[in-house]
Amino acid sequence: MDDLARHNQARWDALARAGVSFSRPLLDLDADGARRLVDPHGILGEVRDKRVLCLASGGGQQLVAFALLGARATVLDFSAEQLARDREAAAHHGVTVEVVQGDMRDLSRFTDDAFDVVWHAFSISFVPDVRPVLDEVARVLSPGGYYRIEFANPFVFGVDDRSWTGEGYLLREPYVDGAELSDTTWDVWLEDGSKRQIEGPREFRHTMGALVNGLVARGFVILGLWESASPNPDAEPGTFDHFMTIVPPFLTVWAVLRPDVLSSDDLARGAVS
């Protein structure tokens, strides 16, 4: 584990201890709720007995959802605190899961074609280069397998959501792949309803080209892209809900690994060197 991983691991342990929303085990899930959580667009179909990797997805949420749907579910995350939530949720629901501590850039503990589904939580922004992660995902995923990845909208990652001027939000960061964000402070809502600022992990912007071309270069066929929307279209200006009415901050891509339908020329054109 390098210095970046150790730093971000410590920050996620602290965030989990603070009770941020990503770290709250879902103890009231049923099968319908589990389906809505991990497959809201109906991409996967039946997942019973499918081999599922929840990648960088600790916190007691997606792992237990897949297990409740009958999948053979594994989670990999580098935060011991996050993984403790997965164990808590699994014990509560009485499901069998595999919990593995590790870095998303190194899946060497898993064999080739080890999974039918890789469900990647919002975490790719915590590494400066998407290529090692995509290489590993393509290796451990079986041909015809599904890859779901959520990431920050790169066109808004440089916008300061706390900079409402009365007319708009300020664009502060250049559009450069791999550029590190200068502000790592998170405004987080805690379980008691209060809000506080916590130092978050180091984060990096990834351009749309790096992500899309990176998927194509590894034989993925993109099935669709979904954008986040504000839950409150009438939100007060300057709030994060209002910011989301101006720009969707989160994007989700579903793709299927099908190198057989792409020619070597197609793959070369999508390559990210």
Side-chain angles (χ1 to χ4, degrees):
M1 188 175 291
D2 60 15
D3 289 341
L4 171 64
R6 282 189 287 271
H7 174 86
N8 282 358
Q9 179 188 57
R11 296 317 312 145
W12 267 108
D13 283 346
L15 288 164
R17 286 192 293 268
V20 298
S21 60
F22 308 109
S23 306
R24 298 173 194 165
L26 298 180
L27 305 181
D28 58 353
L29 271 183
D30 57 17
D32 289 339
R35 174 71 66 180
R36 289 192 297 271
L37 176 66
V38 298
D39 190 21
H41 310 296
I43 300 292
L44 290 175
E46 178 60 63
V47 297
R48 181 167 298 279
D49 295 326
K50 294 292 182 68
R51 303 163 300 165
V52 176
L53 173 62
C54 295
L55 183 58
S57 182
Q61 300 180 2
Q62 295 82 29
L63 176 74
V64 73
F66 275 111
L68 286 170
L69 294 173
R72 294 153 55 190
T74 299
V75 63
L76 180 138
D77 199 291
F78 59 15
S79 166
E81 293 286 344
Q82 287 284 81
L83 295 177
R85 274 69 178 168
D86 287 300
R87 294 188 180 93
E88 177 187 351
H92 175 84
H93 289 285
V95 294
T96 300
V97 297
E98 183 179 8
V99 176
V100 179
Q101 187 169 19
D103 190 320
M104 73 178 105
R105 296 170 292 180
D106 178 10
L107 305 182
S108 57
R109 70 190 64 226
F110 303 122
T111 62
D112 295 357
D113 304 342
F115 298 100
D116 304 301
V117 178
V118 175
W119 200 101
H120 197 164
F122 181 84
S123 59
I124 195 75
S125 63
F126 304 134
V127 296
D129 187 349
V130 302
R131 292 172 296 180
V133 179
L134 297 182
D135 284 341
E136 286 290 79
V137 170
R139 182 185 64 79
V140 303
L141 190 61
S142 294
Y146 291 94
Y147 179 37
R148 178 268 191 197
I149 179 171
E150 183 180 6
F151 53 95
N153 183 342
F155 298 108
V156 303
F157 227 29
V159 181
D160 184 352
D161 62 281
R162 291 169 286 188
S163 65
W164 177 250
T165 67
E167 296 183 350
Y169 295 89
L170 298 178
L171 180 65
R172 298 186 185 276
E173 306 281 351
Y175 189 74
V176 177
D177 187 61
E180 184 167 1
L181 299 192
S182 56
D183 184 2
T184 61
T185 303
W186 286 18
D187 290 326
V188 297
W189 291 96
L190 306 181
E191 289 185 90
D192 62 5
S194 65
K195 185 175 76 169
R196 59 180 285 204
Q197 289 191 331
I198 300 178
E199 181 189 353
R202 292 171 61 189
E203 291 190 72
F204 303 85
R205 168 185 268 163
H206 301 303
T207 63
M208 191 69 74
L211 287 158
V212 171
N213 293 338
L215 289 168
V216 172
R218 287 154 183 83
F220 284 99
V221 174
I222 294 174
L223 300 175
L225 181 148
W226 288 264
E227 302 158 305
S228 58
S230 175
N232 181 9
D234 299 318
E236 180 181 354
T239 65
F240 189 70
D241 280 355
H242 180 263
F243 177 74
M244 290 179 69
T245 68
I246 306 297
V247 284
F250 311 114
L251 304 176
T252 299
V253 164
W254 279 91
V256 60
L257 185 62
R258 287 294 305 276
D260 56 302
V261 304
L262 297 172
S263 70
S264 57
D265 288 342
D266 291 329
L267 295 173
R269 279 191 288 269
V272 179
S273 59

